[in-house]
Amino acid sequence: MSDHAKQSLPHLRTRNDHSTELAEDYVEAIAEIAASHGSCRVVDLAKHFGVSHVTVNRTVGRLQNEGLVKTEPYKPVGLTAKGARLAVRCRERHEIVYQFLLAIGVDPQTAAIDAEGIEHHVSPATLRCFVNWSKTNASIS
Amino acid sequence: MSDHAKQSLPHLRTRNDHSTELAEDYVEAIAEIAASHGSCRVVDLAKHFGVSHVTVNRTVGRLQNEGLVKTEPYKPVGLTAKGARLAVRCRERHEIVYQFLLAIGVDPQTAAIDAEGIEHHVSPATLRCFVNWSKTNASIS
DNA sequence: ACAGAATTGTAGCCACAGCTACAATCTACA
DNA sequence: TGTAGATTGTAGCTGTGGCTACAATTCTGT
Ligand SMILES: [Mn+2]
Ligand SMILES: [Mn+2]
Ligand SMILES: [Mn+2]
Ligand SMILES: [Mn+2]
């Protein structure tokens, strides 16, 4: 590989992470809201993310095209099998990142905020290291 | 604060992080390239980030409007005092995140890639925890 | 049943960040 | 000194993700 290709590789990965970030947060939120409220409405997602219902509407439409969510006009938003699988993976990863931040001494509120952005940039290899160190610290304390 | 405001706070922070991410990466790259090559040209940045020179051009123009970089037509790209200060902070934070990932056992290549995305979502409080744990692990090994 | 409130959908605006194609300028070498 | 190649600038396209304003639909309480 050329020198500048090595330099640009991290940025390419970061841009790719961002292109899938919204889908990951949406399926995770839809699963959570559906579990706690019985169903997930557009307005629930708008409140959850702090955006207008219009933004939610367009995003849900795109996720439906990608086969992650299923919805009909004026009906709740649900996950496809594919979307539900992605939601589980994202929920697990999110929880690992959050628990890891707690384990190294970050306060819960800051950990919750930082984890929401960090989670999408944590590769499987780094995630394994997070799990190990959370275990280690848990056994210490 | 209302319940859903608490829920949306992390996402608001993440969106804010992303709005400043490009500026942070650019000033950091301009400082590095200028230090190693003597001057930083548009084409250097294009290679560094793996994007076209057009994208670099527009971004540099926006950063100039924000008072972070200084450039003239067909001349190298330089940092203002404000941009140089931001570059130092970003470089330090980037290095802390990278060294922390190494300290918890992530391989160097993965650490370099993940750090490029993670750095922008690490709050000062979390950064302090990273520093502490890097020190601890350094004294152990 | 129906009026008003809540929810959802649509039209159209913006900024950002990527791109190709082409024009202009500068640099280096024959 | 010219000119070919490298570099930079410009025009204009795309997709994404935010918004307001307004329309349509559904839900709810009297
Ligand atoms: Mn999440
Ligand atoms: Mn997230
Ligand atoms: Mn970065
Ligand atoms: Mn990010």
Side-chain angles (χ1 to χ4, degrees):
Chain A
M1 197 188 313
S2 66
D3 269 9
H4 62 265
K6 275 180 191 159
Q7 281 301 310
S8 62
L9 234 178
H11 297 286
L12 294 171
R13 241 285 307 275
T14 300
R15 290 199 295 272
N16 191 68
D17 291 343
H18 287 160
S19 75
T20 56
E21 174 165 342
L22 209 56
E24 293 174 350
D25 281 338
Y26 264 68
V27 295
E28 198 184 336
I30 291 167
E32 281 176 13
I33 293 170
S36 64
H37 287 55
S39 78
C40 178
R41 312 292 316 207
V42 167
V43 68
D44 297 322
L45 291 169
K47 285 173 186 166
H48 179 85
F49 291 115
V51 298
S52 74
H53 81 277
V54 183
T55 299
V56 171
N57 227 338
R58 186 167 23 66
T59 302
V60 165
R62 188 164 58 80
L63 297 184
Q64 190 165 25
N65 286 342
E66 295 173 8
L68 292 171
V69 314
K70 187 68 185 159
T71 186
E72 290 170 75
Y74 299 98
K75 292 283 176 63
V77 181
L79 295 174
T80 63
K82 182 182 169 191
R85 282 194 299 274
L86 179 59
V88 169
R89 286 202 305 275
C90 291
R91 166 105 184 113
E92 289 172 351
R93 191 188 55 183
H94 192 143
E95 188 65 14
I96 289 170
V97 171
Y98 176 65
Q99 292 297 332
F100 173 75
L101 291 179
L102 293 183
I104 63 170
V106 181
D107 67 281
Q109 169 134 12
T110 301
I113 294 174
D114 289 14
E116 196 59 68
I118 290 174
E119 55 172 345
H120 310 281
H121 303 287
V122 175
S123 63
T126 299
L127 200 66
R128 282 192 294 275
C129 294
F130 280 13
V131 171
N132 290 340
W133 277 82
S134 294
K135 279 186 202 160
T136 302
N137 194 55
S139 64
I140 288 174
S141 35
Chain B
M1 198 187 317
S2 67
D3 269 10
H4 62 265
K6 276 181 192 160
Q7 281 300 310
S8 62
L9 235 179
H11 297 287
L12 294 171
R13 242 283 308 273
T14 299
R15 290 199 296 272
N16 190 67
D17 291 343
H18 287 160
S19 75
T20 56
E21 173 164 343
L22 210 57
E24 294 174 349
D25 281 338
Y26 265 67
V27 295
E28 199 183 337
I30 292 168
E32 282 176 13
I33 293 170
S36 62
H37 288 56
S39 78
C40 178
R41 313 289 319 207
V42 168
V43 68
D44 298 321
L45 291 168
K47 284 172 186 167
H48 180 86
F49 291 114
V51 299
S52 74
H53 80 278
V54 184
T55 299
V56 171
N57 228 337
R58 187 166 24 66
T59 302
V60 166
R62 189 164 58 80
L63 297 185
Q64 191 165 25
N65 287 342
E66 295 174 7
L68 292 172
V69 313
K70 186 68 185 160
T71 185
E72 290 171 74
Y74 299 98
K75 292 284 177 63
V77 181
L79 296 175
T80 63
K82 181 182 169 191
R85 281 193 300 273
L86 179 60
V88 169
R89 285 201 307 275
C90 291
R91 167 106 183 113
E92 289 171 350
R93 190 188 57 184
H94 193 144
E95 188 65 14
I96 289 169
V97 171
Y98 176 65
Q99 292 298 332
F100 174 74
L101 292 178
L102 293 182
I104 64 170
V106 180
D107 68 281
Q109 169 133 15
T110 301
I113 294 175
D114 289 14
E116 196 59 67
I118 290 174
E119 54 171 347
H120 310 281
H121 302 288
V122 175
S123 63
T126 299
L127 200 65
R128 282 192 294 274
C129 295
F130 280 14
V131 172
N132 290 339
W133 276 83
S134 295
K135 280 186 203 163
T136 302
N137 194 54
S139 62
I140 289 174
S141 36

PDB file of all heavy atoms in Angstrom, chain A residues 10-21 24 120-121:
ATOM      1  N   PRO A  10      -7.456   5.643   8.128  1.00  0.00           N
ATOM      2  CA  PRO A  10      -8.287   5.958   9.304  1.00  0.00           C
ATOM      3  C   PRO A  10      -9.444   6.888   8.978  1.00  0.00           C
ATOM      4  O   PRO A  10     -10.564   6.698   9.479  1.00  0.00           O
ATOM      5  CB  PRO A  10      -7.297   6.632  10.258  1.00  0.00           C
ATOM      6  CG  PRO A  10      -5.972   6.072   9.883  1.00  0.00           C
ATOM      7  CD  PRO A  10      -6.036   5.900   8.396  1.00  0.00           C
ATOM      8  N   HIS A  11      -9.215   7.870   8.124  1.00  0.00           N
ATOM      9  CA  HIS A  11     -10.287   8.813   7.804  1.00  0.00           C
ATOM     10  C   HIS A  11     -11.369   8.150   6.967  1.00  0.00           C
ATOM     11  O   HIS A  11     -12.554   8.455   7.119  1.00  0.00           O
ATOM     12  CB  HIS A  11      -9.712  10.040   7.091  1.00  0.00           C
ATOM     13  CG  HIS A  11      -8.750  10.813   7.935  1.00  0.00           C
ATOM     14  ND1 HIS A  11      -9.147  11.606   8.982  1.00  0.00           N
ATOM     15  CD2 HIS A  11      -7.395  10.889   7.914  1.00  0.00           C
ATOM     16  CE1 HIS A  11      -8.093  12.148   9.562  1.00  0.00           C
ATOM     17  NE2 HIS A  11      -7.011  11.743   8.931  1.00  0.00           N
ATOM     18  N   LEU A  12     -10.959   7.248   6.075  1.00  0.00           N
ATOM     19  CA  LEU A  12     -11.951   6.511   5.299  1.00  0.00           C
ATOM     20  C   LEU A  12     -12.832   5.690   6.239  1.00  0.00           C
ATOM     21  O   LEU A  12     -14.046   5.633   6.068  1.00  0.00           O
ATOM     22  CB  LEU A  12     -11.256   5.593   4.284  1.00  0.00           C
ATOM     23  CG  LEU A  12     -10.474   6.290   3.163  1.00  0.00           C
ATOM     24  CD1 LEU A  12      -9.646   5.274   2.367  1.00  0.00           C
ATOM     25  CD2 LEU A  12     -11.437   7.014   2.232  1.00  0.00           C
ATOM     26  N   ARG A  13     -12.227   5.043   7.211  1.00  0.00           N
ATOM     27  CA  ARG A  13     -13.007   4.246   8.177  1.00  0.00           C
ATOM     28  C   ARG A  13     -13.935   5.141   8.980  1.00  0.00           C
ATOM     29  O   ARG A  13     -15.119   4.802   9.197  1.00  0.00           O
ATOM     30  CB  ARG A  13     -12.044   3.511   9.132  1.00  0.00           C
ATOM     31  CG  ARG A  13     -12.158   1.989   9.081  1.00  0.00           C
ATOM     32  CD  ARG A  13     -13.409   1.462   9.786  1.00  0.00           C
ATOM     33  NE  ARG A  13     -13.557   1.930  11.139  1.00  0.00           N
ATOM     34  CZ  ARG A  13     -12.993   1.369  12.197  1.00  0.00           C
ATOM     35  NH1 ARG A  13     -12.253   0.295  12.055  1.00  0.00           N
ATOM     36  NH2 ARG A  13     -13.170   1.886  13.391  1.00  0.00           N
ATOM     37  N   THR A  14     -13.454   6.289   9.422  1.00  0.00           N
ATOM     38  CA  THR A  14     -14.296   7.199  10.195  1.00  0.00           C
ATOM     39  C   THR A  14     -15.496   7.661   9.379  1.00  0.00           C
ATOM     40  O   THR A  14     -16.629   7.673   9.869  1.00  0.00           O
ATOM     41  CB  THR A  14     -13.485   8.426  10.657  1.00  0.00           C
ATOM     42  OG1 THR A  14     -12.397   7.993  11.488  1.00  0.00           O
ATOM     43  CG2 THR A  14     -14.346   9.380  11.453  1.00  0.00           C
ATOM     44  N   ARG A  15     -15.257   8.008   8.101  1.00  0.00           N
ATOM     45  CA  ARG A  15     -16.379   8.452   7.259  1.00  0.00           C
ATOM     46  C   ARG A  15     -17.375   7.323   7.048  1.00  0.00           C
ATOM     47  O   ARG A  15     -18.585   7.533   7.020  1.00  0.00           O
ATOM     48  CB  ARG A  15     -15.854   8.979   5.913  1.00  0.00           C
ATOM     49  CG  ARG A  15     -15.110  10.313   6.042  1.00  0.00           C
ATOM     50  CD  ARG A  15     -15.001  11.042   4.713  1.00  0.00           C
ATOM     51  NE  ARG A  15     -14.192  10.349   3.723  1.00  0.00           N
ATOM     52  CZ  ARG A  15     -12.881  10.469   3.587  1.00  0.00           C
ATOM     53  NH1 ARG A  15     -12.204  11.246   4.398  1.00  0.00           N
ATOM     54  NH2 ARG A  15     -12.245   9.827   2.640  1.00  0.00           N
ATOM     55  N   ASN A  16     -16.853   6.112   6.908  1.00  0.00           N
ATOM     56  CA  ASN A  16     -17.745   4.962   6.756  1.00  0.00           C
ATOM     57  C   ASN A  16     -18.563   4.725   8.025  1.00  0.00           C
ATOM     58  O   ASN A  16     -19.752   4.426   7.960  1.00  0.00           O
ATOM     59  CB  ASN A  16     -16.932   3.710   6.417  1.00  0.00           C
ATOM     60  CG  ASN A  16     -17.821   2.562   6.001  1.00  0.00           C
ATOM     61  OD1 ASN A  16     -18.448   2.600   4.962  1.00  0.00           O
ATOM     62  ND2 ASN A  16     -17.904   1.540   6.857  1.00  0.00           N
ATOM     63  N   ASP A  17     -17.922   4.863   9.185  1.00  0.00           N
ATOM     64  CA  ASP A  17     -18.643   4.733  10.459  1.00  0.00           C
ATOM     65  C   ASP A  17     -19.805   5.714  10.515  1.00  0.00           C
ATOM     66  O   ASP A  17     -20.910   5.365  10.929  1.00  0.00           O
ATOM     67  CB  ASP A  17     -17.696   5.009  11.635  1.00  0.00           C
ATOM     68  CG  ASP A  17     -16.648   3.923  11.815  1.00  0.00           C
ATOM     69  OD1 ASP A  17     -16.823   2.826  11.267  1.00  0.00           O
ATOM     70  OD2 ASP A  17     -15.641   4.188  12.509  1.00  0.00           O
ATOM     71  N   HIS A  18     -19.554   6.938  10.085  1.00  0.00           N
ATOM     72  CA  HIS A  18     -20.594   7.962  10.164  1.00  0.00           C
ATOM     73  C   HIS A  18     -21.752   7.668   9.214  1.00  0.00           C
ATOM     74  O   HIS A  18     -22.889   8.036   9.488  1.00  0.00           O
ATOM     75  CB  HIS A  18     -19.997   9.345   9.871  1.00  0.00           C
ATOM     76  CG  HIS A  18     -19.150   9.858  10.992  1.00  0.00           C
ATOM     77  ND1 HIS A  18     -18.207  10.842  10.837  1.00  0.00           N
ATOM     78  CD2 HIS A  18     -19.097   9.505  12.303  1.00  0.00           C
ATOM     79  CE1 HIS A  18     -17.615  11.085  12.010  1.00  0.00           C
ATOM     80  NE2 HIS A  18     -18.135  10.284  12.908  1.00  0.00           N
ATOM     81  N   SER A  19     -21.440   7.006   8.103  1.00  0.00           N
ATOM     82  CA  SER A  19     -22.510   6.722   7.135  1.00  0.00           C
ATOM     83  C   SER A  19     -23.480   5.671   7.656  1.00  0.00           C
ATOM     84  O   SER A  19     -24.613   5.594   7.183  1.00  0.00           O
ATOM     85  CB  SER A  19     -21.904   6.272   5.804  1.00  0.00           C
ATOM     86  OG  SER A  19     -21.434   4.949   5.904  1.00  0.00           O
ATOM     87  N   THR A  20     -23.066   4.874   8.626  1.00  0.00           N
ATOM     88  CA  THR A  20     -23.958   3.846   9.178  1.00  0.00           C
ATOM     89  C   THR A  20     -24.445   4.198  10.579  1.00  0.00           C
ATOM     90  O   THR A  20     -25.265   3.473  11.142  1.00  0.00           O
ATOM     91  CB  THR A  20     -23.249   2.484   9.218  1.00  0.00           C
ATOM     92  OG1 THR A  20     -22.038   2.611   9.955  1.00  0.00           O
ATOM     93  CG2 THR A  20     -22.924   1.991   7.820  1.00  0.00           C
ATOM     94  N   GLU A  21     -23.956   5.302  11.100  1.00  0.00           N
ATOM     95  CA  GLU A  21     -24.233   5.656  12.487  1.00  0.00           C
ATOM     96  C   GLU A  21     -25.722   5.870  12.756  1.00  0.00           C
ATOM     97  O   GLU A  21     -26.271   5.367  13.744  1.00  0.00           O
ATOM     98  CB  GLU A  21     -23.447   6.923  12.843  1.00  0.00           C
ATOM     99  CG  GLU A  21     -23.761   7.473  14.207  1.00  0.00           C
ATOM    100  CD  GLU A  21     -22.725   8.486  14.664  1.00  0.00           C
ATOM    101  OE1 GLU A  21     -21.606   8.511  14.104  1.00  0.00           O
ATOM    102  OE2 GLU A  21     -23.029   9.247  15.591  1.00  0.00           O
ATOM    103  N   GLU A  24     -27.738   2.731  12.893  1.00  0.00           N
ATOM    104  CA  GLU A  24     -27.485   1.983  14.129  1.00  0.00           C
ATOM    105  C   GLU A  24     -28.255   2.576  15.306  1.00  0.00           C
ATOM    106  O   GLU A  24     -28.905   1.853  16.074  1.00  0.00           O
ATOM    107  CB  GLU A  24     -25.983   1.975  14.430  1.00  0.00           C
ATOM    108  CG  GLU A  24     -25.180   1.184  13.397  1.00  0.00           C
ATOM    109  CD  GLU A  24     -23.682   1.282  13.602  1.00  0.00           C
ATOM    110  OE1 GLU A  24     -23.235   2.120  14.421  1.00  0.00           O
ATOM    111  OE2 GLU A  24     -22.942   0.539  12.949  1.00  0.00           O
ATOM    112  N   HIS A 120     -19.737   4.030  17.753  1.00  0.00           N
ATOM    113  CA  HIS A 120     -19.736   3.769  16.311  1.00  0.00           C
ATOM    114  C   HIS A 120     -18.343   3.668  15.718  1.00  0.00           C
ATOM    115  O   HIS A 120     -18.187   3.325  14.548  1.00  0.00           O
ATOM    116  CB  HIS A 120     -20.531   4.859  15.583  1.00  0.00           C
ATOM    117  CG  HIS A 120     -21.882   5.093  16.188  1.00  0.00           C
ATOM    118  ND1 HIS A 120     -22.953   4.263  15.943  1.00  0.00           N
ATOM    119  CD2 HIS A 120     -22.321   6.029  17.059  1.00  0.00           C
ATOM    120  CE1 HIS A 120     -24.003   4.696  16.627  1.00  0.00           C
ATOM    121  NE2 HIS A 120     -23.646   5.771  17.312  1.00  0.00           N
ATOM    122  N   HIS A 121     -17.330   4.007  16.513  1.00  0.00           N
ATOM    123  CA  HIS A 121     -15.956   3.996  16.012  1.00  0.00           C
ATOM    124  C   HIS A 121     -15.113   2.913  16.667  1.00  0.00           C
ATOM    125  O   HIS A 121     -13.903   2.883  16.490  1.00  0.00           O
ATOM    126  CB  HIS A 121     -15.318   5.368  16.234  1.00  0.00           C
ATOM    127  CG  HIS A 121     -16.064   6.503  15.603  1.00  0.00           C
ATOM    128  ND1 HIS A 121     -16.068   6.709  14.233  1.00  0.00           N
ATOM    129  CD2 HIS A 121     -16.847   7.474  16.125  1.00  0.00           C
ATOM    130  CE1 HIS A 121     -16.812   7.771  13.971  1.00  0.00           C
ATOM    131  NE2 HIS A 121     -17.300   8.247  15.096  1.00  0.00           N
TER     132      HIS A 121
END
